[in-house]
Amino acid sequence: MVWSWGTGLAAVFINISVENFAGWKFSLTFNIIQKSYVAGFLIYILINLALVFSSVYIITQFAPAAAGSGIPEIKGYLNGIDIPGILLFRTLIGKIFGSIGSVGGGLALGKEGPLVHIGACIASLLGQGGSTKYHLSSRWLQGFKSERDRRDLVTCGCAAGVAAAFRAPVGGVLFALEEVTSWWRSQLMWRVFFTSAIVAVVVRAAMGWCKSGNCGHFGSGGFIIWDISDGQEDYSFEELLPMAVIGIIGGLLGALFNQLTIYITRWRRNYLHKKGNRVKIYEACLISVITSVISFGLPLLRKCSPCPDSDPDSEIECPRAPGMYGNYVNFYCSKDKEYNDLATIFFNTQDDAIRNLFSAKTIHEFSAQSLLTFLVMFYTLAVVTFGTAVPAGQFVPGIMIGSTYGRLVGIFTVNHYKKLNIEEGTYALLGAASFLGGSMRMTVSLCVIMVEITNNLKLLPLIMLVLLISKVCILLVYSIWIDVLQNVLTLFPSQAVGDAFNEGLYEEQARLRGIPLLESRPKYEMRKMTAREACGNQKVLSLPRVVKVADVVSILRSNKHNGFPVIDHTRNGETLVIGLMLRSHLLVLLQSKIDFQHSPLPCDPRGRSQAIRHNFSEFAKPVSSKGISINDIHLSSDDLEMYIDLAPFLNPSPYIVPEDMSLTKVYNIFRQLGLRHIFVVPRASRVIGVITRKDLLIEEEIEDSAITELQSTSVRGQRHEKRLLVRNADAERPLLSGILVQDTDHTLS
């Protein structure tokens, strides 16, 4: 609950700051252009440049992990990859203030992706008690030390970020389920739902306070909700064709957007950003100047249009007062009753521009030429800007792009079906949904978010339609493209054919950042592979039960493995696997030194006094820091000659699979259970029992006649022994032939 309040308050602070900076900027610019457009133009560029410079400077000098959206990194963390720096306290601060600068500075970016990252950071920091480095910690918050609990908290933080950004609590729950998390449990559902509900209450309370005039230029802007409940109430069968066209356009433009961002991001990574932080600052400032020139200069080239006849039932004023949000901006117009339609969407905040595009009862407000000009220019700016060293979300820019071509299709639909009660704003909404679906490949969560932010449940079937069409369009175009490549480019390797595909925006960005995500489905090639083949010819690096300290230090220095099998020997001299020892636990034992012993013999197996010497929190790896490194531990020559008995500290029951199991099954087990390591053992030759559903209902006595499950084929000697083990015929524990490891703790740079 605490992180829910924190995420909500952070979202309120960011939105109020962005709206006030933007409000001061536009108010000052409008006042100056009444006297001189040149002076207003210079002031406008300088304000944007100052805001963007502050953002990129914070990121490059203080919190480099706060650059970008943050969603690919959080998705990688929830998939099992520990990425240093993404949940630090400095990353949280950099994300908050960097988002204010980049969004307030008018870049073609949004603050929704960063808010998801912010929610994850707050949840992680509060879950581990705060930040020890900055002396902001509390013991009563230190209740989530296990990896599973921490990932659950981060998942709740992601949902809270979406709920705070869009005022869409249900959409936040579905976003966490569909997009970011890899392992979903039923217990997690109500926790995420509760978190999103608390955030929605906090945001709504803050907006009620702002309506009293306490938030300056915030007004009705800021939080993304575009109420179009008074718009088009129904649709006819004839409109399904142009709506399908919107879905097709969204699929194509969304896929193209992903591919272009891939090319530019690779170029930045390989050439531009290698030259240092100074080049990153120059790049962001240059893009800021270009964006300001385009948003201010292009409306100057557009002729103004006369205001339409005022509708007594409409609250929309034409032209609107200078410096105020709304439709019909009077910008560089010679007459008072004129407006500049291109300035209405260009020379405005993104939230207000989208509100204008979604607006009802504003037919023919925008010309096709202005919409097409804005679409081309803003699409280009969004592609170029995404990937700069500033916090960057792509949700709102995607809505801007989609709503522009959606409104363009709406204009042609209105002109063609003259007798139908059609609202161009409805088509703008459908265009926004189609582009986001084509770019991010979300379906259910996106559909619910679009319904929640527009407050119009009647459009739900249409949103579902365009999302499905955009997704089907991508699959169809890709299949045709692959057929063409296979027939024409036969001289190229198969990898060239595979490169024609691209996945969702976040998946592609994660791949470019070197984050090895485990997708929901295994690769087709895995069907023909076994667990043994996946292990390859690797030599398993194991530890004896009682190991010499010098050997532990040597092993930890010579490799970066994060899990080691622990072996022991029977009286017959056979080698048995007795458990799994984690690298982080070994480092704790080396640092404490209290478990060192002079004897190479095992300690008393009946007592676990050694384990009691340690607190459980000592073995918990801190999320907000890199943890202990072997280079940080200093041991004397006498220490290196001592021994450690690993039996009290290891995991005695790691997950085990037979060596001939299909790699597809191993993949599914690995991902669905959220594992980090799987031992691969030889095929067992003796079965000690078979557990069925009936055996797992240990709290109920069920009559045999009422059981519909297949009867147990147990061959156990005693009924109460409920174990599912596959063992070697001549040993108590399986021999180890390999270890299949997910590189969860791999340090990514």
Side-chain angles (χ1 to χ4, degrees):
M1 182 175 178
V2 179
W3 55 87
S4 304
W5 283 85
T7 305
L9 294 177
V12 171
F13 174 73
I14 291 175
N15 278 275
I16 291 177
S17 300
V18 169
E19 290 297 316
N20 276 284
F21 276 121
W24 294 331
K25 175 180 64 179
F26 286 115
S27 179
L28 179 61
T29 304
F30 269 110
N31 290 333
I32 294 178
I33 62 176
Q34 304 300 323
K35 301 177 181 178
S36 172
Y37 272 87
V38 176
F41 175 63
L42 295 177
I43 293 297
Y44 180 74
I45 291 180
L46 290 177
I47 294 176
N48 284 336
L49 186 60
L51 290 172
V52 173
F53 175 79
S54 66
S55 176
V56 69
Y57 186 82
I58 290 173
I59 298 303
T60 55
Q61 304 299 324
F62 180 71
S69 169
I71 294 181
E73 289 80 3
I74 297 300
K75 188 172 182 177
Y77 175 76
L78 294 178
N79 194 259
I81 306 299
D82 286 342
I83 307 173
I86 64 168
L87 297 175
L88 293 174
F89 179 72
R90 65 165 60 191
T91 302
L92 172 63
I93 299 301
K95 208 76 174 185
I96 292 175
F97 290 97
S99 298
I100 294 174
S102 61
V103 179
L107 294 180
L109 301 170
K111 53 185 178 293
E112 297 68 41
L115 272 174
V116 174
H117 193 177
I118 288 169
C121 289
I122 293 175
S124 175
L125 290 170
L126 292 180
Q128 66 175 357
S131 175
T132 56
K133 180 178 180 180
Y134 296 97
H135 305 289
L136 299 173
S137 60
S138 176
R139 289 186 176 182
W140 68 275
L141 290 174
Q142 298 178 2
F144 304 93
K145 291 299 183 181
S146 67
E147 289 293 330
R148 188 186 68 176
D149 291 338
R150 287 177 174 176
R151 283 181 164 81
D152 287 352
L153 278 179
V154 172
T155 302
C156 294
C158 293
V162 175
F166 299 106
R167 288 166 57 187
V170 180
V173 175
L174 296 177
F175 178 85
L177 169 61
E178 181 180 7
E179 186 62 25
V180 294
T181 188
S182 298
W183 310 304
W184 190 266
R185 299 179 295 109
S186 58
Q187 300 94 328
L188 189 58
M189 177 67 77
W190 74 266
R191 298 174 184 173
V192 175
F193 183 79
F194 177 76
T195 302
S196 300
I198 296 297
V199 171
V201 172
V202 173
V203 171
R204 185 169 293 275
M207 292 199 65
W209 181 70
C210 287
K211 287 182 179 179
S212 303
N214 300 315
C215 301
H217 288 272
F218 182 79
S220 299
F223 287 98
I224 302 171
I225 183 166
W226 303 288
D227 194 342
I228 59 172
S229 57
D230 58 344
Q232 185 172 338
E233 298 182 356
D234 199 2
Y235 53 90
S236 62
F237 181 78
E238 290 86 349
E239 293 182 72
L240 295 181
L241 178 59
M243 292 175 181
V245 172
I246 290 178
I248 295 174
I249 297 174
L252 296 176
L253 290 183
L256 178 62
F257 182 88
N258 291 356
Q259 200 64 38
L260 292 176
T261 54
I262 290 172
Y263 292 149
I264 295 180
T265 303
R266 285 176 179 170
W267 177 79
R268 278 195 176 102
R269 181 187 60 186
N270 296 331
Y271 300 101
L272 192 61
H273 287 178
K274 284 185 175 181
K275 299 179 180 180
N277 291 333
R278 183 175 297 180
V279 175
K280 296 179 182 179
I281 295 176
Y282 291 158
E283 178 197 20
C285 292
L286 177 62
I287 293 177
S288 173
V289 173
I290 294 174
T291 303
S292 301
V293 170
I294 291 175
S295 60
F296 192 100
L298 283 183
L300 296 176
L301 305 177
R302 177 65 182 167
K303 294 183 179 179
C304 293
S305 304
C307 289
D309 296 334
S310 60
D311 187 357
D313 297 331
S314 177
E315 299 179 355
I316 299 177
E317 179 184 1
C318 181
R320 68 171 172 85
M324 300 296 292
Y325 73 93
N327 300 74
Y328 303 112
V329 176
N330 186 286
F331 183 83
Y332 202 63
C333 298
S334 57
K335 299 181 180 179
D336 293 337
K337 286 297 182 179
E338 288 183 341
Y339 73 97
N340 191 320
D341 61 344
L342 193 55
T344 302
I345 48 179
F346 244 136
F347 197 67
N348 221 330
T349 63
Q350 293 183 22
D351 290 356
D352 290 339
I354 296 173
R355 189 174 289 108
N356 296 339
L357 290 170
F358 282 0
S359 61
K361 299 179 177 62
T362 56
I363 296 179
H364 304 308
E365 176 185 0
F366 303 98
S367 66
Q369 181 181 0
S370 296
L371 291 175
L372 187 60
T373 302
F374 178 80
L375 175 63
V376 173
M377 298 307 302
F378 192 84
Y379 190 96
T380 305
L381 288 175
V383 169
V384 173
T385 308
F386 190 72
T388 52
V390 294
Q394 275 302 311
F395 212 104
V396 169
I399 295 178
M400 287 278 288
I401 295 171
S403 59
T404 303
Y405 69 74
R407 184 114 186 178
L408 190 60
V409 174
I411 291 176
F412 292 110
T413 305
V414 170
N415 294 334
H416 183 71
Y417 303 116
K418 299 183 181 298
K419 297 182 180 180
L420 297 177
N421 184 20
I422 298 175
E423 287 286 353
E424 297 173 2
T426 301
Y427 285 80
L429 168 65
L430 299 180
S434 68
F435 183 84
L436 292 176
S439 175
M440 300 180 181
R441 314 294 160 80
M442 295 187 298
T443 52
V444 180
S445 59
L446 178 59
C447 184
V448 174
I449 289 174
M450 295 304 294
V451 171
E452 287 188 284
I453 63 179
T454 55
N455 195 24
N456 195 336
L457 189 60
K458 297 178 182 179
L459 299 178
L460 177 60
L462 299 181
I463 297 176
M464 296 173 64
L465 175 66
V466 296
L467 284 175
L468 290 175
I469 292 177
S470 64
K471 196 173 187 68
V472 171
C473 173
I474 293 172
L475 297 176
L476 180 61
V477 170
Y478 283 167
S479 63
I480 296 175
W481 181 235
I482 289 302
D483 291 339
V484 172
L485 286 178
Q486 288 176 340
N487 294 328
V488 178
L489 303 179
T490 55
L491 298 179
F492 286 82
S494 59
Q495 185 178 2
V497 178
D499 288 343
F501 288 82
N502 65 44
E503 299 184 34
L505 180 65
Y506 301 134
E507 289 79 5
E508 292 291 349
Q509 293 299 321
R511 182 175 290 106
L512 289 174
R513 286 168 170 78
I515 303 174
L517 295 179
L518 286 181
E519 301 298 334
S520 58
R521 293 186 301 175
K523 300 295 183 182
Y524 179 81
E525 295 79 5
M526 292 184 179
R527 296 183 179 182
K528 302 179 181 180
M529 297 179 63
T530 62
R532 175 81 181 193
E533 294 172 346
C535 295
N537 297 322
Q538 62 175 343
K539 183 179 180 181
V540 180
L541 189 60
S542 58
L543 299 172
R545 173 182 172 176
V546 181
V547 60
K548 194 174 183 180
V549 174
D551 294 337
V552 175
V553 173
S554 176
I555 290 175
L556 295 181
R557 290 184 183 277
S558 61
N559 66 83
K560 297 182 179 180
H561 297 338
N562 293 289
F564 302 92
V566 180
I567 61 175
D568 201 358
H569 298 279
T570 64
R571 295 179 181 177
N572 298 329
E574 296 180 351
T575 302
L576 304 176
V577 178
I578 63 174
L580 171 69
M581 193 70 189
L582 296 180
R583 182 188 189 94
S584 58
H585 293 185
L586 288 173
L587 292 172
V588 171
L589 298 179
L590 292 178
Q591 187 181 50
S592 66
K593 302 181 182 181
I594 61 176
D595 302 293
F596 293 179
Q597 63 184 37
H598 294 281
S599 172
L601 300 177
C603 62
D604 185 7
R606 294 173 297 178
R608 300 183 62 86
S609 58
Q610 286 183 309
I612 299 177
R613 299 175 187 173
H614 297 275
N615 191 347
F616 176 74
S617 60
E618 296 181 43
F619 293 99
K621 182 180 177 181
V623 177
S624 60
S625 66
K626 296 181 180 180
I628 308 173
S629 172
I630 186 61
N631 298 323
D632 301 330
I633 299 175
H634 303 283
L635 300 171
S636 64
S637 57
D638 294 336
D639 293 333
L640 295 176
E641 296 299 322
M642 300 185 74
Y643 297 87
I644 305 176
D645 186 0
L646 303 178
F649 311 102
L650 55 79
N651 175 13
S653 55
Y655 286 88
I656 297 173
V657 296
E659 60 181 347
D660 56 353
M661 176 179 282
S662 169
L663 191 56
T664 299
K665 291 183 179 180
V666 177
Y667 186 98
N668 291 330
I669 293 173
F670 204 103
R671 191 181 188 279
Q672 293 174 9
L673 296 181
L675 303 183
R676 300 170 62 186
H677 311 86
I678 287 184
F679 285 172
V680 181
V681 301
R683 165 57 64 183
S685 59
R686 184 168 66 93
V687 179
I688 67 169
V690 176
I691 288 183
T692 65
R693 182 185 298 269
K694 177 182 177 181
D695 301 311
L696 299 178
L697 299 175
I698 59 178
E699 297 180 357
E700 301 179 10
E701 291 294 337
I702 303 178
E703 297 294 334
D704 292 343
S705 59
I707 297 177
T708 58
E709 297 289 335
L710 293 177
Q711 295 299 314
S712 173
T713 56
S714 175
V715 294
R716 296 168 302 188
Q718 296 182 0
R719 175 78 178 177
H720 66 275
E721 187 180 10
K722 300 186 183 301
R723 294 176 297 172
L724 181 58
L725 296 175
V726 181
R727 298 190 177 186
N728 185 274
D730 300 320
E732 294 183 356
R733 288 186 179 270
L735 300 175
L736 185 69
S737 64
I739 177 170
L740 190 65
V741 180
Q742 180 193 15
D743 206 1
T744 52
D745 295 328
H746 180 63
T747 302
L748 299 177
S749 58

